[in-house]
Amino acid sequence: MFNKSIINKIVDLIPGIFIALLIATIAKFIENLLPIHLIGASVIALFIGMFINSIIQPKEIIKPGLKFTSKKILKFAIILLGLSLSINTVLTVGKLSLVVMFFTLLTCFGGGYVVGRLLKLNWKLSNLISAGTGICGGSAIAAIAPVIEAENKDIAYAMSATFLFDILMILLFPIMGEWMGLSDMAYGLWTGTAVNDTSSVVAAGYAFSESAGDFATMVKLTRTISIIPVVAMFAFINSKIKKKELYSKESVININPKANITSVFPWFILAFIGLAIINSFGIIPDTISIMAKEISKFLMISALAAIGLNTNFNEMKKSGVAPMIHGFTISALVVIVSITVQYFMGLV
């Protein structure tokens, strides 16, 4: 009876998982067709899912699989991502990028908090936008979303806000770099710390020069490492908030709240951080690390396809333009802060 129940549950998941994987495959195919990587497969998959949702509401048969993909598979993808992160990358690029990144991350989350409060956004949406802007676009949003238990529409809105700014920056950064007379290193550092998604950093970096593109990519990889402490920080914050809610609810009915506190912490984050630490010691072969990164990225794309399929565009519209204003404001501040810090450091 028990085994049959498990088999039935697995069978129920297959249609939704298959649809999500199919959309992810199509998104990757479209991304590879583009002569210039203006848009990553994650955003493409999200938009395909949202487009399908706007025409045909997801059928009941695929809903269990979509939920499993957007929650469980996404968490597994984050765990695998740890195998591709290494502190050694930070040492390779050096202290210059770390100084600039410190100030850009401070701008994202400090400025994001203030702007979010002024625009009266919920803290989850506000911080998803800040994370996408400050760390690595869609990957950071996808990593933090399950930790803070963000809603699908918030994830979709945060992805859209960072994507639109990235498209603008790909077009403007090479022009502004030439106008300011930046060196390849200064431009690469600026691009690597101020442009959001990895594909956008590559596009904007190599549009300036080969050397600038190489350096921008290395800086971006270093910037991605910050996802480890940021995810851990949000896990702690959300845990505190959930604990407070548990105490508040359970004190009313006089139940000892200590029994439920362990269910609050997102334990998969420990596996993610553990793999990243192990990978930093060079124990994991490069081939496995690269393979894990590719699988992780594809599973994230699948999860975002599932999120898109579950996201109602009309629900997103209820949030108004405030999230877009938030995204553009923080992104613009990061662009200014990044180049300003370089000026003070004498790099420009």
Side-chain angles (χ1 to χ4, degrees):
M1 179 68 71
F2 178 73
N3 290 335
K4 191 174 181 180
S5 175
I6 292 176
I7 292 171
N8 288 338
K9 286 182 179 179
I10 293 173
V11 171
D12 288 342
L13 296 176
I14 291 174
I17 294 174
F18 175 77
I19 294 295
L21 293 174
L22 179 62
I23 292 176
T25 304
I26 294 170
K28 283 290 294 179
F29 178 73
I30 293 172
E31 180 190 41
N32 293 331
L33 283 180
L34 298 174
I36 302 175
H37 284 198
L38 295 175
I39 177 172
S42 296
V43 179
I44 296 171
L46 178 74
F47 286 172
I48 290 174
M50 289 171 63
F51 176 73
I52 293 172
N53 180 283
S54 67
I55 299 172
I56 308 168
Q57 290 293 311
K59 305 297 182 184
E60 288 298 323
I61 192 172
I62 67 170
K63 283 186 177 180
L66 292 181
K67 184 179 180 181
F68 183 83
T69 305
S70 64
K71 303 292 184 185
K72 304 294 184 183
I73 289 182
L74 178 56
K75 290 177 181 179
F76 179 67
I78 295 164
I79 292 172
L80 274 184
L81 184 64
L83 280 176
S84 66
L85 300 178
S86 173
I87 308 303
N88 296 330
T89 308
V90 177
L91 300 176
T92 302
V93 177
K95 297 178 181 178
L96 294 179
S97 60
L98 293 180
V99 173
V100 179
M101 276 187 281
F102 171 79
F103 286 100
T104 55
L105 285 171
L106 191 65
T107 301
C108 280
F109 291 105
Y113 174 80
V114 174
V115 174
R117 291 291 294 270
L118 289 173
L119 294 172
K120 297 180 179 178
L121 295 179
N122 72 74
W123 76 274
K124 294 181 180 182
L125 174 56
S126 175
N127 282 295
L128 282 178
I129 294 172
S130 295
T133 304
I135 305 173
C136 51
S139 297
I141 293 169
I144 291 171
V147 172
I148 62 174
E149 299 172 294
E151 293 183 22
N152 288 335
K153 64 183 180 67
D154 289 343
I155 299 170
Y157 223 139
M159 292 278 291
S160 301
T162 54
F163 160 68
L164 290 175
F165 193 83
D166 267 0
I167 293 297
L168 188 63
M169 288 301 95
I170 289 170
L171 300 173
L172 294 180
F173 255 56
I175 298 171
M176 292 189 292
E178 291 286 353
W179 178 70
M180 289 187 288
L182 298 180
S183 65
D184 288 341
M185 188 194 75
Y187 178 83
L189 182 56
W190 188 39
T191 305
T193 52
V195 180
N196 306 325
D197 194 72
T198 303
S199 59
S200 303
V201 169
V202 170
Y206 286 106
F208 190 81
S209 73
E210 188 77 19
S211 298
D214 290 342
F215 195 75
T217 303
M218 285 299 296
V219 171
K220 184 67 179 68
L221 292 174
T222 305
R223 185 174 156 201
T224 304
I225 301 296
S226 63
I227 202 172
I228 299 172
V230 170
V231 167
M233 178 186 73
F234 277 110
F236 176 77
I237 292 170
N238 197 55
S239 176
K240 285 289 184 183
I241 292 172
K242 295 279 286 190
K243 283 180 183 179
K244 190 178 291 184
E245 290 174 356
L246 281 173
Y247 275 103
S248 176
K249 290 176 183 177
E250 296 182 341
S251 61
V252 175
I253 55 176
N254 299 317
I255 293 177
N256 180 11
K258 291 184 180 180
N260 294 317
I261 287 175
T262 53
S263 64
V264 171
F265 188 78
W267 297 104
F268 72 96
I269 291 303
L270 294 180
F272 162 70
I273 295 172
L275 287 179
I277 292 171
I278 291 170
N279 193 44
S280 296
F281 288 104
I283 298 172
I284 309 297
D286 289 342
T287 51
I288 294 178
S289 183
I290 292 168
M291 188 186 302
K293 184 177 183 180
E294 290 303 313
I295 294 172
S296 172
K297 284 168 63 178
F298 184 75
L299 292 179
M300 279 190 183
I301 295 167
S302 303
L304 287 164
I307 288 168
L309 283 166
N310 279 324
T311 302
N312 190 308
F313 188 70
N314 290 326
E315 286 293 316
M316 278 182 62
K317 286 197 294 185
K318 290 179 182 177
S319 299
V321 297
M324 288 297 174
I325 294 172
H326 182 290
F328 272 69
T329 302
I330 298 304
S331 295
L333 285 173
V334 168
V335 168
I336 295 167
V337 167
S338 176
I339 198 68
T340 301
V341 172
Q342 287 195 62
Y343 269 107
F344 277 104
M345 292 175 68
L347 300 176
V348 178

